[in-house]
Amino acid sequence: MAKSAAPLTQAQLLRRHLEETSQDLAAALAGFDQTADRDLLEYYLYEISALRAKHTYLLRQMRSLERQAIP
């Protein structure tokens, strides 16, 4: 039988979410740069704004977690 992977720590989970959000943001920025359709531009602007807010939130969570770890 295959061993199950150890559960992720909160820091590892936050790092994973940060990486995924960064990748999603890069894809949204690329999509914005490659379209001329007005509706899609509006969509990408909304998505970029939402992903930046999510990224900022995750960074705050990570910093808070790091501060708690410092004795």
Side-chain angles (χ1 to χ4, degrees):
M1 291 183 85
K3 290 184 180 180
S4 60
L8 296 176
T9 66
Q10 189 174 5
Q12 290 170 324
L13 192 57
L14 279 171
R15 271 190 223 98
R16 179 181 286 178
H17 287 300
L18 272 167
E19 290 172 14
E20 290 171 357
T21 302
S22 293
Q23 292 170 356
D24 292 345
L25 182 55
L29 289 166
F32 178 83
D33 288 341
Q34 296 174 6
T35 191
D37 183 272
R38 187 178 187 112
D39 291 331
L40 281 177
L41 287 172
E42 186 175 332
Y43 163 78
Y44 282 120
L45 286 172
Y46 175 80
E47 184 174 26
I48 290 165
S49 178
L51 288 167
R52 283 182 175 159
K54 182 178 180 181
H55 192 266
T56 299
Y57 168 79
L58 291 169
L59 284 175
R60 271 196 322 265
Q61 292 297 107
M62 182 63 85
R63 288 182 189 129
S64 175
L65 189 63
E66 289 170 352
R67 275 188 245 118
Q68 291 173 7
I70 297 173

